[in-house]
Amino acid sequence: MQLPLVDLLVFAVYLVGVTLFGCSFYFRKGSRQADDFTSGGGRLPAWAVGLSIFATFVSSISFLALPAKAYSSNWNAYVLSLTIPIASVMAALFFVPLYRSLNSVSAYSYLETRFGLWARIYASLCYLVTQIARMGMIMYLLALPMNALLGWPVPQVILITGVGVLLYSMMGGIQAVVWTDAVQGLILIAGIVVCLGVLLFSMPGGIGQAWDIAVSEHKFSLGSMSLTDWGNETFWVCFLYGIFINLQNYGIDQCFTQRYLTARNHREAIRSMLLGSLLYVPVSLLLVMTGTALFAYYRSQPDLLPPEIAALPDQVFPYFIVHGLPAGLTGLLIAAIFAAGMSTVSTSLNSGTTILLEDYYKRYINPAASNAQCLRMLRGGTLVLAVAGVGCALAMMRVKSALDAWWAMQSIFSGGMLGLFLLGYFSKKARNPEAALGVVLGLLVIAWISVFQKWWPLSVKLHNNLAIVLGTTAIFVAGFALAAVFRKKGGTTP
């Protein structure tokens, strides 16, 4: 399908404008300092950092998947958002002060001080692998709706997205990432508000009709409240998963923890984190409301939705964007989808290359590196990671389910990292041996739930989302218990 000229112009202006805006930071004061590339010199305003955290969290997958989930079922997916206040308060109390007290922009340097070099390498490698996979997944899944609805070739969309993000990430560093994220966050919010408004006010019987249809079909349900069903996406499975995955995001993910160092002081760092995390709660509510409104819209006007699209819930929202919005607004919503993807990819590039610099280049290759050498490494590392991310995205064209592969990988790597951080922070006695044994045990639990449960099941089936919950708990409990047993007399000596 060929988009109207006005929509193409809106989208083109956005794509070119945000790229040029990000690249402009190359010519600003401080752009020749490695510290500015990784932390913005610690002088960015809290509101911009908060919007950047928000935009990073809302990937294009969330932007499309939450409405699809609410359209096809109910508001069960929104339970993850309800856990964000719990996770963000814990991050504000424990993790933000920790990272701002470290003499390193790498979150994983803390693990070396607690458990030795192996822990830092393990966590940083896990992070780099997951970020390359994350970039690939987002660029690939971003290209799918563009291909299905507009006929744009998937490889072409992947390359355009990758090149655009690479240019401003490599030239402007984290300042470009934060400020472009802030703009993209506002576009995201504007896009979803406009879309929801058009849906509700286009109902033949008005907003009341949408409410009546949603209530009659139980669309506002948050899921089963069963305390015995742990094999399905019940309220409690999603609630537990949400606490752990959001604590992982805001507590130990370099994408977010690096933002805490860009704020001007400790108080502004906490404000930016709380703004970025808590803003997602109402915005994700708008996203699930959009999915419910889509259901009511097409239930009241079934002739507007082709049967082949109705059979694919993931395609319903993109179909409405292209066919149901007035000219100009379609371009805005497509720009919003790209904004969600670009903000997440740019963050992964900047944080990933920061880890390459801090945990590998300065640690092993050139400990006495000059500012110029660090800056060259940062820009070169950004290029390498971008190429790897695009390559991963192209490779995912051959994977049966990219999203399932991502969820399994995220559970395995994230669970091990979070458990190790929690053990290091809350157990004063735990040292290297207890941490290593705990990680091994935790990874075995995660691998069994994620992969091997189908062959060796228990009497109670466990949902894959519980992998990070039980894996993290296993690492923490095992490490804590082993330290309590073996270090009764020796105190905290290694």
Side-chain angles (χ1 to χ4, degrees), residues 338-350:
F338 265 81
M342 291 178 72
S343 62
T344 306
V345 173
S346 66
T347 298
S348 292
L349 284 177
N350 187 266

Side-chain angles (χ1 to χ4, degrees), residues 14 54-68 134-146 157 161 188 192 280 287 314 317-318 321 333-345 403:
Y14 159 75
F54 162 75
T56 296
F57 195 78
V58 187
S59 70
S60 53
I61 310 311
S62 300
F63 195 88
L64 295 172
L66 282 179
R134 185 188 195 194
M135 289 188 290
M137 179 204 65
I138 288 171
M139 286 189 282
Y140 170 63
L141 294 181
L142 175 63
L144 290 183
M146 303 303 144
V157 177
T161 308
L188 282 169
I192 198 63
Y280 183 77
L287 287 168
D314 287 342
F317 188 30
I321 290 172
L333 263 294
I334 293 176
I337 294 171
F338 265 81
M342 291 178 72
S343 62
T344 306
V345 173
L403 197 55

Side-chain angles (χ1 to χ4, degrees), residues 5-28:
L5 180 60
V6 64
D7 291 311
L8 286 173
L9 285 174
V10 169
F11 175 66
V13 166
Y14 159 75
L15 192 62
V16 174
V18 77
T19 301
L20 292 177
F21 175 62
C23 291
S24 70
F25 285 87
Y26 178 80
F27 305 100
R28 301 193 182 190

